[in-house]
C-alpha cells in the first residue's frame, strides 16, 4: 500500500547545466541590480564570479599602473575584492574573498593585519615570507597567514592568488587594523 506518497525515480531525469545560473542572470551584470529585488542580503546572491571578469579587472589595473596612474596595491601588485552586489560589501558577513596578481618579478609591500587569511596559488610561481620565513610557491599550493604575522609576496614568472580572510568579523567588532610597509 503506497497510500498518498509516491516515490520518484532513483535516477536524474535532467543532467543539463545552464551556461549561467538564475542568480548570475539577475545579479551578474557589473554595477547593475534588478530593481524588483533591491533589498540588501547578508550574503551575496551570486555563487559564481567568472574568471573572465576577474582576469580582465586585474590586467586592466596593471595596465593603468603602467600608464602612471595609481591603481594597484604597489608596483606590479593588482587585487580585486569579490562583493555582494546587493550591498557592495563582502560576499559573506564573515568572509572576505579577494584575488591578487603580481606581475613577473614584482614584490609586494610587507604587511600585517588583524585576522587570518588562507591563500591558494591559482597560477604562476614565487614565494611568500611569513614572519621572516620564506616559503616557495607553485600552482595549487595553499598557505595560511596568521593574524598580525608580517607577510610579503614575491613573484617569479607571475603569480595569481585567491585569498579569503575573516577580516569582516574584526571590522564589525571595530578591531581591524592593518600595517603596510616597514
Amino acid at each position: 500500500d503506497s497510500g498518498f506518497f509516491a516515490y520518484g525515480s532513483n535516477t536524474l531525469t535532467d543532467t543539463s547545466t545552464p551556461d549561467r545560473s538564475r542568480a548570475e542572470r539577475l545579479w551578474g551584470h557589473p554595477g547593475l541590480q534588478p530593481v524588483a529585488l533591491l533589498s540588501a542580503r547578508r550574503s551575496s546572491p551570486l555563487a559564481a564570479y567568472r574568471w573572465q571578469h576577474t582576469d580582465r579587472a586585474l590586467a586592466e589595473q596593471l595596465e593603468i599602473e603602467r600608464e602612471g596612474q595609481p591603481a594597484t596595491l604597489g608596483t606590479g601588485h593588482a587585487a580585486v575584492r569579490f562583493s555582494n552586489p546587493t550591498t557592495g560589501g563582502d560576499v559573506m558577513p564573515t568572509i572576505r574573498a579577494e584575488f591578487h596578481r603580481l606581475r613577473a618579478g614584482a614584490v609586494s609591500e610587507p604587511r600585517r593585519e588583524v585576522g587570518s587569511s588562507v591563500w591558494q596559488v591559482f597560477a604562476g610561481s614565487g614565494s611568500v615570507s611569513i614572519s621572516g620565513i620564506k616559503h616557495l610557491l607553485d600552482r595549487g599550493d595553499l598557505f595560511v597567514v596568521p593574524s598580525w604575522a608580517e607577510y610579503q609576496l614575491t613573484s617569479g614568472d607571475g603569480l595569481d592568488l585567491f585569498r579569503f580572510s575573516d577580516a569582516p568579523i574584526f571590522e564589525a567588532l571595530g578591531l581591524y587594523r592593518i600595517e603596510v610597509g616597514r
Side-chain angles (χ1 to χ4, degrees):
D1 184 324
S2 65
F4 59 88
F5 187 81
Y7 291 98
S9 172
N10 287 334
T11 60
L12 291 174
T13 57
D14 183 0
T15 59
S16 64
T17 303
D19 290 334
R20 296 180 72 223
S21 70
R22 183 177 298 115
E24 283 182 278
R25 291 171 34 219
L26 286 169
W27 297 100
H29 304 282
L32 303 171
Q33 298 181 14
V35 173
L37 303 173
L38 283 183
S39 62
R41 295 159 189 221
R42 291 178 46 83
S43 293
S44 176
L46 286 174
Y49 293 80
R50 297 294 177 178
W51 173 245
Q52 66 197 32
H53 302 297
T54 304
D55 182 49
R56 184 172 176 183
L58 293 165
E60 289 184 359
Q61 279 185 31
L62 291 172
E63 183 60 34
I64 289 168
E65 177 194 68
R66 281 189 186 126
E67 295 168 0
Q69 299 298 316
T72 59
L73 291 177
T75 304
H77 181 184
V80 293
R81 182 171 297 162
F82 299 98
S83 64
N84 177 340
T86 69
T87 65
D90 288 297
V91 292
M92 294 174 64
T94 58
I95 299 290
R96 172 160 297 153
E98 298 175 340
F99 208 96
H100 292 248
R101 174 171 289 164
L102 278 79
R103 184 181 292 137
V107 179
S108 74
E109 292 190 73
R111 64 179 58 225
R112 58 188 185 161
E113 56 193 300
V114 172
S116 300
S117 58
V118 176
W119 297 72
Q120 180 177 11
V121 180
F122 189 78
S125 65
S127 65
V128 61
S129 175
I130 303 171
S131 298
I133 300 171
K134 183 178 177 178
H135 306 274
L136 297 179
L137 300 173
D138 208 347
R139 181 185 168 149
D141 287 346
L142 293 169
F143 64 94
V144 175
V145 178
S147 185
W148 210 243
E150 184 178 87
Y151 68 97
Q152 186 172 30
L153 300 163
T154 302
S155 172
D157 57 355
L159 200 53
D160 281 354
L161 304 132
F162 176 75
R163 172 188 189 219
F164 69 90
S165 75
D166 55 7
I169 297 169
F170 293 97
E171 288 175 349
L173 295 170
L175 300 174
Y176 181 75
R177 292 186 304 145
I178 186 168
E179 181 179 280
V180 180
R182 292 183 191 198

